[in-house]
Amino acid sequence: LAKILKPFLKNKKIEIQIDKSSNYRLISFSFIKMTYNLTKIFFKKIYQLYTCKITNINKKKNIYEKIILIDTFVLPGFYNKDRYFSGLLQNINNYKKEKVFYSPVVAYTSIKNYYKVYKKLRNSKLKLILKEDFLKYYDVFSSVTEIFFSKFSKFKKINYKNIDFSELFNFEIINGIGDDMTIEGILNYKFVRRLKEKKVNINCVIDWWENQAIDKGLSKGIQTFYPKTKLIGYLGYYPRQFELQLLPLKIEYELKCIPNTIAVIGNKIKKKIGIYENKLKVITAPAFRFSYLWNLKKKNNKNKVNILVALPVIEQDISRILNSIPLSLYKNKRIKINIKTHPTMTKQALNKFLNKKNKIRYNISSGGIHKNFEKTDILISTSSIACLEALSLGISVINIKRQIGMDYH
């Protein structure tokens, strides 16, 4: 960053001194960290494939003819429940329902729980195509090595407003942030190739689309190996202002790294998505994830005020939210505080934060957020889609401003 700013600040008569020895140490440390992380990802993915394959006791050959493949995610609390396309199957005819297969990405799950998770997925009521059943161990090895050797490629010049950002980009490549998502994207591409080799006939693909590396790999794979298959990217939530990747670029479209059609849940979003690429077809679609809002009935308790504290995934944000709540609220008998943890957070991790507040009264809420909203008067959270859900139900919201990083809204 200092190298980038030096010529710019020189014109402002501001001098910057660069400690070259510290710079070299930082680059060396980043390279070691990157190599360690790639090794860890490699063994994690190998174990994931192995665990998935040993749980596949049903070896009968499935017939995949003109199927509708839906890319989705499973995570703690939602291994056997559809979180992202809730109500979809209930609103299509039986013929199409028979053609629908879900291809889930296992997310926010500890490696020690892989076996239990895949056993649950094998018994799911939904029809699944597990990526790990089709991928081979060599696919993992080649994906990780491709990422490793890509680290030696460098940008020569990336100029914007007479500032060369190439050094910053090159450092971020070596730093390796996001390598796990990139590898997942490459594996998606290889997964589609394996489907083609197995002669799986795909009529349509619906991708839970956030334009991340994982989505780009799937899109590239479908448009390479299934060029006649309809591909729809489904943005099933209201995008945050900071999610700039949701505005696809012309080069992404030309390289077939994004679907030709993007489905969004409102006309206001529709105007934003195609701002940089007018060839992109943007349509509206139902907000499946939020369909419960139409049927939820609030149960008000006149004797108590129910406060729901919805915690995010980032530790600094969790600490800030909990520290923002006065101890007097916890001790007030007319106020009931329910804490809803992120699916990835354990009870032990939550207690680590709450023990600092001595002996306080609180309840840990279980179940989905919609169950908690039924009896909630006030929601406390930060940069969460849950805030918008609560507002739509007439629930008062206190949004705690983030102290570290940028606000999403």
Side-chain angles (χ1 to χ4, degrees), residues 139-377:
D139 293 326
V140 176
F141 174 76
S142 61
S143 298
V144 173
T145 52
E146 282 168 26
I147 291 297
F148 177 77
F149 287 112
S150 73
K151 304 291 181 181
F152 298 97
S153 302
K154 289 188 176 182
F155 290 103
K156 291 181 179 178
K157 271 197 174 185
I158 302 175
N159 281 316
Y160 181 72
K161 293 191 175 181
N162 297 322
I163 300 175
D164 183 9
F165 288 90
S166 57
E167 289 278 353
L168 189 61
F169 274 74
N170 290 331
F171 176 75
E172 283 302 308
I173 289 170
I174 290 188
N175 203 21
I177 294 173
D179 280 350
D180 53 345
M181 189 72 79
T182 307
I183 288 168
E184 203 68 52
I186 296 172
L187 287 173
N188 262 352
Y189 177 84
K190 295 176 188 288
F191 163 58
V192 177
R193 185 176 65 191
R194 297 298 181 195
L195 289 176
K196 187 67 175 179
E197 289 173 356
K198 294 288 183 181
K199 296 182 170 52
V200 175
N201 189 332
I202 305 175
N203 187 45
C204 176
V205 176
I206 301 172
D207 172 32
W208 179 270
W209 183 81
E210 297 178 20
N211 206 21
Q212 306 278 4
I214 189 170
D215 302 303
K216 296 180 197 298
L218 181 66
S219 180
K220 184 69 175 175
I222 293 296
Q223 294 187 67
T224 301
F225 302 108
Y226 291 90
K228 294 181 180 179
T229 293
K230 189 173 184 179
L231 173 62
I232 300 171
Y234 174 66
L235 180 61
Y237 66 94
Y238 194 91
R240 306 169 182 91
Q241 289 183 1
F242 189 59
E243 293 180 297
L244 301 179
Q245 84 280 358
L246 294 177
L247 310 177
L249 302 174
K250 187 179 182 67
I251 192 170
E252 292 178 287
Y253 184 86
E254 290 173 349
L255 292 175
K256 299 181 179 179
C257 290
I258 56 171
N260 292 323
T261 303
I262 304 294
V264 297
I265 60 171
N267 286 325
K268 193 172 181 181
I269 310 167
K270 194 175 175 182
K271 294 174 184 177
K272 295 179 181 179
I273 300 297
I275 193 169
Y276 296 123
E277 178 47 64
N278 54 22
K279 290 181 183 177
L280 194 63
K281 186 180 179 182
V282 186
I283 61 174
T284 52
F288 294 109
R289 184 174 165 183
F290 308 111
S291 57
Y292 78 91
L293 293 170
W294 299 100
N295 301 316
L296 190 139
K297 293 179 181 178
K298 289 201 63 283
K299 302 171 184 176
N300 293 323
N301 186 341
K302 294 180 180 179
N303 299 318
K304 275 194 176 182
V305 176
N306 287 290
I307 298 176
L308 178 64
V309 182
L311 297 178
V313 68
I314 300 171
E315 285 195 6
Q316 294 95 327
D317 291 338
I318 295 169
S319 182
R320 183 163 172 77
I321 289 172
L322 295 175
N323 289 333
S324 298
I325 303 171
L327 282 173
S328 58
L329 286 184
Y330 289 102
K331 295 175 181 178
N332 191 321
K333 292 182 179 179
R334 288 197 68 250
I335 295 174
K336 185 178 180 182
I337 294 181
N338 301 300
I339 296 177
K340 181 76 178 78
T341 59
H342 191 271
T344 61
M345 194 180 199
T346 62
K347 188 176 179 179
Q348 293 78 10
L350 176 63
N351 287 333
K352 183 182 77 172
F353 290 99
L354 293 173
N355 285 341
K356 297 174 185 176
K357 289 183 168 288
N358 301 318
K359 291 183 179 180
I360 58 173
R361 295 186 303 107
Y362 65 90
N363 300 286
I364 297 178
S365 294
S366 58
I369 194 84
H370 61 285
K371 290 288 183 185
N372 294 279
F373 280 157
E374 287 179 354
K375 48 192 177 181
T376 295
D377 300 301

